[in-house]
Amino acid sequence: MILDARIPQGPIQEKWDSRKNELKLVNPANKRRYTVLVVGTGLAGASCAASLAEMGYNVKNFCIQDSPRRAHSIAAQGGINAAKNYPNDGDSVWRLFYDTIKGGDYRSREANVYRLAQLSSNIIDQCVAQGVPFAREYGGLLANRSFGGALVSRTFYARGQTGQQLLLGAYSALMRQVDAGRVELYPRFEMLDLVVIDGKARGIVGRNLVTGEIERYAGHMVVLATGGYGAVYFLSTNAMNSNVTAAWRCHKRGAFFANPCYTQIHPTCIPVSGTHQSKLTLMSESLRNDGRVWVPKGKGDTRSPDQIPEGERDYYLERKYPSFGNLVPRDVASRNAKEVCDEGHGVGSSGLSVYLDFADSINRLGENLIRERYGNLFEMYERITGENPYRVPMRIYPAVHYTMGGLWVDYDLMSTVPGLFVLGEANFSDHGANRLGASALMQGLCDGYFVAPYTMGDYLTATELPEVTTEHPAFADHEAEVRAKLERLLSIQGEKTVTEFHRELGEIMWNRVGMARNAAGLKEALEEIPKLREEFWQNVKVPGSQDMFNKNLEVAGRVADFLELGELMAHDALQRSESCGGHFREESQTPEGEALRNDEDFSYVAAWEYNGGEPDLNQEHLIFEYIKLSQRSYK
């Protein structure tokens, strides 16, 4: 299939305006005739649902949590990027565009990234108007701080809880529409299938997570904003509820899955402490503004950090990357942390962590200022580890955090299934092979507030959409398939729990499709995952019944989908025999050990088509007219 991204003609600075000018519009009186199903209430979902309702559409909004406020967007800590240049340090729309393309190792679509940079300032204005309490300078102006991969300060923040505050802003806009009767909210609901009628997305089938009842909903189009799939690795910074099920079921109904192996490993996480853990805790990248990363120069040095003199410390990021130092992008920081630990310089009882030390900043700026900037993060670290980071360095190690892959979308954010729009982390995004910190919040709100509400109207006016109700035979067929899968899971009654299978899959993914990969390991993964999946369908034990609150059944369905997704991720990683961004192939590196791209053979988006067997690869070739391809350097 030839993938048409429908990128507008003309100079990149004019593409979005040109597209808006040519979009067909829906008459205000006609908007209330259309029903839009929005799945997800995080930043992308809540902002889109609120915007569409404000415009006059009827919106049904679904989430798996008990409240939209509990969407995983609240977990984002450090900030949100925008090219406002408040610090007057040389920032611009073009520089944000360039940094994002370079940070993604030149595996992003230029037109989408430029639009994201263009709209970034609008996002800040929108959020300030909603009352988001961004940090401010003494004179009252909004404050900025630095983040990895940029030489300017463009990150707006609310201490270490930026995601939560932004979500509360979007939530307030959403609940205003709920109160006005233009949004119907369906909490504790999990989408389990996409209903496609005459080749178009016309509804969803899912499960009420409280009663167990299977429910059907029809609409004129479907918006998917269900986040990423990092939990395929079992241990990640994602919430336990985070999953791929909604996106994966759409994939099996015809939506191409793009770049599934592009996984971001965050360098600043609290290290694994034992097999009892079900998730890992993120420490914001913003901490690298004032914290210095180091390890002992001697291998196996078990002395406490205060006993290791300055001359025996290796500030390896500052040594290797003098221009960016501790603010190199996440993939570079993560890979280097792994390397020094693999060489025997790691600290802590496991040897799998490095120090993030604030002593210099506290001595230079004072403890009070550090407390103002990062107080809640320091408190969280102390509660989890029992160590006071004002007195001793934090110990950090990389962990799975974000997924740049997702369902393929065109410039209008529509998937290969007409009428299925995909927003935020659920699409293959604007981040290429590596996301710059503080860009996820930017993309989610940009998609939800400023892109999809424009482009969806064009689809509605240009498409014949006869009225469809949940009595249509397609809904009955899809419901029957959903029920059959749930009954099959309950009927196995094996000997291993869902969590055991999930943990085993996570170990395969981390060891074979994790921070560093090679052809041999990926081929082993492609042998091991199908075997584990076969065992799962023969030996998993799911207690309870379908028609009740059943957490085990919920998670079993999600792990079943992870077992299929994991195989696709290994396929994608194996065929892309280059290193780029967070995807590091050991066979493809420079003499200095840096990632080595192969632009001639792999400058494309890998969009995989589901066919029930070996997946089919489709390619969207990336054309760079405005950015010159070059080897990434942060030295």
Side-chain angles (χ1 to χ4, degrees):
M1 178 177 178
I2 297 175
L3 290 171
D4 181 9
R6 300 202 293 173
I7 298 171
Q9 298 298 313
I12 196 166
Q13 296 89 342
E14 300 174 9
K15 288 183 185 294
W16 178 232
D17 287 338
S18 297
R19 181 63 181 137
K20 286 194 295 182
N21 289 338
E22 68 185 20
L23 290 171
K24 294 182 175 66
L25 302 178
V26 181
N27 183 308
N30 289 337
K31 286 176 181 173
R32 57 178 172 266
R33 294 171 44 208
Y34 291 109
T35 297
V36 184
L37 310 181
V38 180
V39 186
T41 58
L43 287 179
S47 61
C48 184
S51 299
L52 291 173
E54 184 74 39
M55 295 165 69
Y57 294 101
N58 294 309
V59 179
K60 296 181 187 295
N61 197 191
F62 306 84
C63 69
I64 60 173
Q65 300 88 1
D66 55 356
S67 165
R69 291 173 306 193
R70 292 175 64 83
H72 191 55
S73 299
I74 65 167
Q77 298 170 346
I80 177 171
N81 289 329
K84 279 187 172 290
N85 194 33
Y86 282 175
N88 197 28
D89 55 1
D91 201 10
S92 64
V93 168
W94 182 268
R95 191 172 293 276
L96 175 53
F97 163 60
Y98 172 78
D99 285 346
T100 306
I101 290 283
K102 177 184 176 183
D105 221 347
Y106 307 95
R107 291 294 176 263
S108 308
R109 191 188 289 155
E110 276 189 335
N112 287 59
V113 177
Y114 193 87
R115 177 176 63 187
L116 179 64
Q118 271 182 303
L119 294 173
S120 61
S121 291
N122 299 34
I123 298 168
I124 303 303
D125 296 341
Q126 174 86 6
C127 295
V128 169
Q130 291 173 338
V132 174
F134 287 120
R136 293 180 181 267
E137 303 288 2
Y138 179 75
L141 296 177
L142 298 183
N144 289 111
R145 58 187 176 198
S146 301
F147 252 63
L151 291 174
V152 296
S153 296
R154 64 163 66 101
T155 303
F156 296 78
Y157 63 98
R159 292 188 77 187
Q161 51 183 232
T162 313
Q164 180 176 2
Q165 297 303 326
L166 289 171
L167 184 63
L168 288 173
Y171 170 75
S172 66
L174 174 64
M175 296 310 292
R176 177 174 176 269
Q177 298 302 322
V178 172
D179 183 64
R182 290 190 286 267
V183 173
E184 292 182 59
L185 192 61
Y186 297 85
R188 303 297 289 137
F189 173 90
E190 182 169 27
M191 174 182 165
L192 296 178
D193 209 351
L194 176 72
V195 179
V196 179
I197 299 174
D198 296 329
K200 306 175 188 71
R202 297 303 306 269
I204 62 174
V205 173
R207 184 169 178 267
N208 183 313
L209 298 179
V210 177
T211 66
E213 184 179 353
I214 304 301
E215 300 174 354
R216 315 171 181 179
Y217 296 94
H220 293 90
M221 61 183 177
V222 177
V223 179
L224 197 72
T226 51
Y229 49 88
V232 68
Y233 289 87
F234 187 66
L235 284 180
S236 75
T237 65
N238 290 191
M240 285 300 291
N241 264 344
S242 299
N243 64 83
V244 77
T245 289
W248 190 251
R249 305 294 171 88
C250 291
H251 173 55
K252 296 176 84 167
R253 293 295 178 187
F256 289 6
F257 210 113
N259 298 338
C261 80
Y262 280 173
T263 304
Q264 177 160 79
I265 313 293
H266 197 293
T268 317
C269 300
I270 297 178
V272 175
S273 60
T275 56
H276 64 283
Q277 286 179 275
S278 59
K279 76 176 298 294
L280 298 173
T281 302
L282 172 71
M283 289 284 101
S284 169
E285 181 180 316
S286 63
L287 293 168
R288 290 195 277 143
N289 274 298
D290 291 305
R292 301 179 70 191
V293 179
W294 64 275
V295 292
K297 288 183 177 179
K299 295 183 179 180
D301 192 332
T302 58
R303 289 177 292 174
S304 63
D306 61 308
Q307 298 298 312
I308 302 176
E310 192 73 15
E312 297 179 30
R313 300 180 178 188
D314 181 13
Y315 296 91
Y316 57 89
L317 292 178
E318 298 172 30
R319 170 173 56 83
K320 295 176 68 173
Y321 309 99
S323 292
F324 283 76
N326 295 298
L327 287 175
V328 292
R330 292 175 175 179
D331 61 318
V332 177
S334 295
R335 190 160 59 249
N336 277 272
K338 180 179 186 298
E339 287 176 3
V340 295
C341 290
D342 288 349
E343 292 167 359
H345 299 278
V347 301
S349 58
S350 66
L352 293 177
S353 57
V354 301
Y355 288 129
L356 181 61
D357 196 339
F358 293 86
D360 284 356
S361 294
I362 290 173
N363 290 335
R364 185 178 74 255
L365 303 172
E367 184 175 316
N368 287 339
L369 183 56
I370 296 300
R371 194 178 297 274
E372 284 180 19
R373 291 177 178 175
Y374 312 112
N376 60 312
L377 297 173
F378 278 44
E379 291 166 13
M380 182 168 64
Y381 181 88
E382 185 170 7
R383 284 199 302 270
I384 292 172
T385 65
E387 300 172 1
N388 183 348
Y390 294 105
R391 303 289 174 261
V392 298
M394 287 185 179
R395 290 178 297 106
I396 58 170
Y397 193 70
V400 171
H401 177 53
Y402 187 90
T403 50
M404 287 76 68
L407 297 185
W408 184 90
V409 292
D410 62 17
Y411 188 75
D412 289 349
L413 301 184
M414 189 164 71
S415 72
T416 48
V417 176
L420 174 64
F421 288 77
V422 189
L423 279 55
E425 192 178 357
N427 71 31
F428 82 102
S429 78
D430 302 335
H431 310 303
N434 174 61
R435 177 175 69 83
L436 289 185
S439 286
L441 304 182
M442 178 173 60
Q443 188 216 343
L445 290 176
C446 179
D447 287 356
Y449 280 135
F450 300 112
V451 179
Y454 280 97
T455 60
M456 289 175 184
D458 185 73
Y459 168 77
L460 291 172
T461 56
T463 310
E464 188 175 337
L465 295 168
E467 284 302 313
V468 166
T469 71
T470 55
E471 299 306 309
H472 190 287
F475 280 89
D477 293 343
H478 285 61
E479 180 178 336
E481 291 183 34
V482 167
R483 288 187 181 278
K485 185 166 187 175
L486 295 173
E487 287 299 337
R488 184 183 174 194
L489 287 167
L490 290 164
S491 67
I492 298 169
Q493 291 300 303
E495 298 179 351
K496 288 175 66 173
T497 66
V498 173
T499 301
E500 288 178 281
F501 281 105
H502 194 180
R503 183 180 285 111
E504 287 183 38
L505 173 64
E507 289 176 358
I508 295 172
M509 296 300 296
W510 179 252
N511 293 329
R512 306 280 190 261
V513 201
M515 289 182 65
R517 310 158 183 177
N518 57 57
L522 291 168
K523 289 176 182 176
E524 289 176 6
L526 287 171
E527 293 177 359
E528 294 170 356
I529 295 173
K531 290 179 182 177
L532 183 63
R533 185 168 64 246
E534 183 179 356
E535 183 189 356
F536 174 87
W537 285 106
Q538 293 177 353
N539 197 33
V540 71
K541 181 174 180 62
V542 182
S545 67
Q546 183 180 148
D547 300 320
M548 61 179 288
F549 175 82
N550 190 338
K551 195 68 182 176
N552 287 286
L553 182 59
E554 282 179 48
V555 179
R558 296 167 191 166
V559 172
D561 292 330
F562 279 144
L563 285 163
E564 295 181 2
L565 168 69
E567 185 174 0
L568 181 63
M569 292 173 68
H571 270 295
D572 187 44
L574 181 60
Q575 69 85 29
R576 189 176 284 276
S577 55
E578 66 163 354
S579 291
C580 59
H583 170 208
F584 191 74
R585 280 291 288 270
E586 294 173 354
E587 304 94 331
S588 183
Q589 54 183 302
T590 67
E592 296 80 22
E594 301 292 344
L596 181 62
R597 293 195 324 272
N598 179 350
D599 294 327
E600 184 176 346
D601 295 326
F602 295 104
S603 189
Y604 61 76
V605 176
W608 296 90
E609 182 178 3
Y610 181 82
N611 60 17
E614 191 84 5
D616 293 327
L617 174 62
N618 300 271
Q619 299 177 8
E620 178 201 339
H621 291 276
L622 296 170
I623 299 172
F624 293 92
E625 299 180 75
Y626 299 90
I627 298 291
K628 181 181 178 181
L629 293 172
S630 62
Q631 179 67 27
R632 270 201 318 169
S633 174
Y634 291 94
K635 296 186 177 181

